Structures are given as C-alpha cells and as structure tokens.
Amino acid sequence: MPKSVPDEASVTPEILAKYEPVIGLEVHVQLLTKTKIFCGCSTRFGDPPNSNVCPVCLGLPGTLPVLNKRAVEMAMRAAVALNCTVHQRSRFARKNYFYPDLPKGYQISQYELPVATGGWLDIEVAGATERIGITRLHLEEDAAKNLHEGFSQSATKAYIDYNRCGTPLVEIVSEPDIRSSEEAHAYLTALRQIMLYTGVSDCNMEEGSLRCDANVSVRRRGSGKFGTKVEVKNLNSFRFLQKALEYEIERHIGVLESGGRLAQETRLWHQAEGRTVGMRSKEKAHDYRYFPEPDLLPVDVSPAWRDEVRRQLPELPEARRARFVASYGITPYDAGVLTATKALADYFEAVVKAGALGKAAANWMQTELLRRLNDSGKEIDASPVSAKSLAELIELVESGKITAAVGKKVFSTMVESGRSAADIVSAEGLGAQVSDSAIEAAAREVISKNPDNVAKYKSGNEGVFKFFVGQVMRATRGQANPQSVNEVLRKLLS
Ligand code: ADP
Ligand code: ZN
Ligand code: MG
C-alpha cells in the first residue's frame, strides 16, 4: 500500500533539495457585476439566505438563461490585463454533475472555446522576475453555498443558500510554471492586485470572491518529466495556500523516498490539523460529459469591442511601479509599497501633484501615514489627512519653516483634529523661530564642549558632523531650522 503520511523525520533538507516542486493554480474570481450572469438577480453578498433567487438561477424547468454583457466585458478586461488572447468566438458548455448546490444538475461553464487563452503574469520572488504562463480564462456561473452545522454524525445539518448560485465567475488556470510555495503566494498576490486594479472583483477571500485550488507535484531536479499531481482544495487564505503546498511537497517527497507511488487525487486542506486529507480520486474530464450549451448562442466579440476594453484598461501595477521609479526618483521598494493598491498609488500621486517631491511624499506616507492607518485599521480612502494637506505639511518642513521633528508632531495633530498644518503651526507657535544668532551661540557652546569630536571632524571624519547637528537641535529644543544649523556649523567648524 502506498504511504500517505509524510515521514517527517526522513525528509531532511538534503532530501528536499533533490526534488523540484511543480505547481499550477486554478483561481476563481467572482466578477463585480450588479446582477447574476444569466438572470437579473442581485449578486449582493450578505443578504438573507435565498432572497436573491428566481426561476432561472434556481434551475426551474422551462426557464432560459440570458447572458449578462457586463460579465463578458469584465472577463475580457481581466484577460487583457493578463496578456491573454481574447477570442472572437467563445462558447458556453454544460459541465454535468450532481450536487445539491447545483440545482440544474449541470454548471454552465466554458470548455473547448474559453473567452481567452495564452497569457502570462510576471512575479517577483527574491529579487528575480519569473514569468508564469496563463493557460486559459473562462466564464462560468458560481454554485450555491452549502452551510454545515455540527460535524458529529448524529447532529449534522446542511443548509443551502442559493443567493450565490449564478454569480459570474472567471476561472484563471495557470501553466505548471510555479516552482515553490513562495512563488505560488507571489502569483496569487500579483493576480489579486491586477483584479483589484482593473475593478473586475473585490477579491475578498473571506466572502469567497477569490478562491484558489492548487495542483502540485514534485520531480527529481533535472528531470524533464512531471510527477503525479494532486489537487488541493479549500485554500481560503494566502497563508493556507502556502502551508498546504509546503505540506504536500514534503508529503510527496516522503512517499517517493520510501519507494511509494502517489495517487492522482483531490485533497482538502485541514487548517486545524495542519495537513491535507484525501477527498476523492480525481475525476477525468469526460466524467463531466461536457457538451455545448444549447440554450445560449456562442459569444461573439468584435475587434472593436475588444479594442474598447483594452483602451479602458487602467495602468496596471507593474507599469505603475516602473513609472513611479522613473518619474519620481523613488526606490523600487518604495514604489512596490505605494502601488500595493490603486487607491494608495492615487493618493501618492495626488500628494506629488499638490507640490511635494516624490521622495519626501514617499517617506512621509510610509513612516507616518501608513503607520497611522495601520494602527487604526483604516484604508487610505478613509485617511484623516488628505493628500493636499499632507503636501502642505511636507512643504512646511522642506522649506525649513518647521523642523522635521515638529513636522511629525504637527502630523499627529492633523490626524487627531483634521486641522491644516499651517493652522496648527501658527496657532501653537511651532514655526522654526530660533534666530540665527541663537543657533550660532548654541553651536559655539557645543563645539567648545566637544574638542575630541572637533578634532575628529577636522581629520576628515564626516560622520561626526551629524553629532554636532543633533546637539545643536537638542539645545534649541528641535525648533531651529535644520538647514540653518547645518550652515552655521559648517562655517564654525571650517
Ligand atoms: P486536469 O485535467 O486534471 O484539470 P489540467 O491539465 O487541466 O488538469 O491542469 C489543471 C492545473 O494543474 C493547471 O493549473 C496546470 O498547470 C496544473 N498541472 C498540470 N499538470 C501538473 C503537474 N504535473 N504538477 C503540478 N501541476 C500540474
Ligand atoms: Zn435569478
Ligand atoms: Mg482542468
């Protein structure tokens, strides 16, 4: 009998290193249409169970589906953003299987003629860029949602909420190009970011708007042949995806090392137990008896429609990062942080547009603003400080009207009171009001008290200059203009 549990003691790092993981992801993304894909019912999440249903999405006999044009358009947008070829003609197909969450006894999906094929997504892992191929992107309807109550054999109840049934989905299937759990994580992160930027989904994993199944196998490094793959389902967070993959990779290697063979099967991730368990042996595609959906015409996408979708595509995260580095002189790291969401990137650009230098805007946002938002659990859209107000504060600091230290205090007050920086500075007398002669007096005193450091500075130790600046700032209680302090010190020390 093949071994099914990894013998963890035997899978040493040396043994792990002999194998190469091969991973392909199948991601389901709920589209942000207002209504379902084949009827006019609302797709709103969280409504009372079975309140957004009609004869079509309940699969009652004699009803006919009518395709939602917005769903096709969003699928096209996602496809173009993923560098796929959008086909002029695609077709819906019936995928037949019985399950209580599928009232028609089949799911309307796409099979031989999907909306799009042949794309890619570039990801960055450990400083290197990897291109992950995208096999296909197709449209389908979501199933209803099963809710289980109690897991003991005597007290199990299942409820079905058909509100979700008929919500438009795109399924995005990757090539088996992913080589580690980190890469899988990076792929899903990048994919999610693109879906959010293009506005096709809210990608809320807790609400099930983004769902991911992982296919994984291992092979000896250097081998050109793929191993037997296992599909892991129930990965409802990025962390679970990574943990499940790590677990499976070790399990596969453990089985192979002990002379066993892997079964092609579907497994479920059990977060509480930290392991996967077998669910069913993998159905073959023909078990679904796919055939063209007779109730729907093929989808015709004119070149003009496709071009229109392409034209309306917003700037994507990767392009935006590159542009931020090139036009605002910020580091690739900063650009990565500031383009994490479209709203954050828009905010950054608004700060710059209001007059701040890119570098200063990037620093203030990362050190002060993001920390504050993080602490209060707020998104950038709910920032208590507007982009324009932040730019005003930055201008006060950069022009030397207030010191950086005072600037930080002013920022805090802005967050708490919503008042403008200029207002706070004048009301509280925070301007850098230390006269040049007072700065000079302070500088002379610091210099006379620190002959050792003066000697060091004179012998070429530039680093010690910071010490003098710090001491003078301290003596002036952080209210001196730092630029003046610098100038005075240079003069006195030369
Ligand atoms: P199936 O017919 O079982 O659905 P597919 O060929 O359609 O298999 O592939 C489904 C997913 O599995 C894709 O994301 C693909 O990249 C991935 N995949 C295929 N073969 C392997 C393999 N040997 N190891 C890991 N992933 C694989
Ligand atoms: Zn309906
Ligand atoms: Mg498949």
Side-chain angles (χ1 to χ4, degrees), residues 22-27 184 211-217 229-235 240-242 244-245 248 265-267:
V22 171
I23 298 162
L25 298 185
E26 293 170 285
V27 179
R211 310 198 290 268
C212 174
D213 300 331
N215 298 271
V216 54
S217 64
K229 81 168 155 61
V230 162
E231 183 178 5
V232 189
K233 290 187 176 287
N234 204 26
L235 304 170
F240 295 177
L241 166 69
Q242 212 171 337
L245 284 173
E248 269 306 293
E265 59 175 346
T266 300
R267 297 176 72 87

Side-chain angles (χ1 to χ4, degrees), residues 18 53 62 69 81 102 145 233 287 326 348 354 367 387 426 437 442:
K18 287 196 292 186
V53 292
K69 188 177 175 189
L102 196 67
K145 194 167 173 181
K233 290 187 176 287
D287 284 348
F348 169 74
T367 55
S426 73
S437 59

Side-chain angles (χ1 to χ4, degrees), residues 99-408:
Y99 210 64
D101 64 14
L102 196 67
K104 296 192 296 293
Y106 59 85
Q107 178 192 28
I108 302 180
S109 180
Q110 294 188 308
Y111 191 52
E112 337 99 287
L113 294 176
V115 167
T117 55
W120 76 82
L121 180 54
D122 285 337
I123 58 167
E124 233 167 278
V125 175
T129 303
E130 298 289 340
R131 177 159 291 187
I132 309 300
I134 289 172
T135 316
R136 56 188 270 137
L137 180 151
H138 71 245
L139 264 170
E140 60 187 29
E141 57 180 342
D142 207 344
K145 194 167 173 181
N146 295 307
L147 301 148
H148 299 281
E149 184 182 88
F151 281 98
S152 73
Q153 274 183 344
S154 55
T156 299
K157 280 187 177 156
Y159 300 89
I160 309 176
D161 178 2
Y162 287 96
N163 283 354
R164 196 177 76 176
C165 200
T167 298
L169 292 176
V170 285
E171 177 173 342
I172 301 163
V173 181
S174 88
E175 289 290 302
D177 288 346
I178 298 167
R179 292 289 174 270
S180 67
S181 63
E182 292 82 12
E183 283 189 15
H185 190 279
Y187 170 85
L188 196 59
T189 304
L191 185 64
R192 178 171 186 272
Q193 205 179 34
I194 290 172
M195 296 299 114
L196 286 169
Y197 262 67
T198 51
V200 303
S201 177
D202 62 20
C203 292
N204 187 329
M205 276 187 118
E206 275 127 57
E207 295 181 359
S209 314
L210 177 75
R211 310 198 290 268
C212 174
D213 300 331
N215 298 271
V216 54
S217 64
V218 302
R219 61 179 171 186
R220 283 283 192 152
R221 283 195 190 276
S223 159
K225 242 180 80 202
F226 287 153
T228 303
K229 81 168 155 61
V230 162
E231 183 178 5
V232 189
K233 290 187 176 287
N234 204 26
L235 304 170
N236 38 31
S237 82
F238 281 70
R239 200 164 54 88
F240 295 177
L241 166 69
Q242 212 171 337
K243 290 181 83 168
L245 284 173
E246 277 155 21
Y247 177 88
E248 269 306 293
I249 290 165
E250 275 203 31
R251 188 181 69 84
H252 286 214
I253 295 172
V255 170
L256 296 177
E257 281 289 310
S258 62
R261 276 178 46 194
L262 285 148
Q264 181 163 336
E265 59 175 346
T266 300
R267 297 176 72 87
L268 284 181
W269 172 247
H270 267 249
Q271 173 56 19
E273 295 166 29
R275 66 189 185 101
T276 62
V277 289
M279 182 171 106
R280 56 169 186 242
S281 72
K282 177 77 189 174
E283 327 87 314
K284 293 277 172 298
H286 61 251
D287 284 348
Y288 290 123
R289 291 180 168 68
Y290 278 101
F291 64 86
E293 168 58 61
D295 289 343
L296 286 163
L297 289 167
V299 183
D300 263 312
V301 174
S302 68
W305 190 17
R306 195 174 48 197
D307 291 347
E308 185 54 27
V309 167
R310 191 182 296 278
R311 246 198 316 281
Q312 285 173 2
L313 208 64
E315 186 178 30
L316 296 176
E318 201 186 346
R320 205 159 191 191
R321 278 193 291 277
R323 186 168 60 79
F324 277 14
V325 171
S327 17
Y328 304 124
I330 64 175
T331 64
Y333 174 84
D334 290 353
V337 174
L338 295 172
T339 55
T341 66
K342 189 165 173 290
L344 194 60
D346 288 345
Y347 185 100
F348 169 74
E349 290 211 277
V351 178
V352 173
K353 205 163 165 222
L357 281 174
K359 189 77 207 150
N363 285 343
W364 278 89
M365 281 180 68
Q366 287 177 91
T367 55
E368 301 303 314
L369 182 63
L370 289 183
R371 189 169 52 80
R372 279 290 186 145
L373 291 174
N374 218 12
D375 289 350
S376 56
K378 279 189 183 147
E379 296 293 327
I380 189 77
D381 301 315
S383 168
V385 176
S386 72
K388 194 161 156 282
S389 304
L390 180 59
E392 283 165 14
L393 170 65
I394 293 172
E395 163 62 18
L396 288 175
V397 176
E398 293 292 311
S399 64
K401 295 205 178 72
I402 58 174
T403 65
V406 167
K408 288 185 182 182

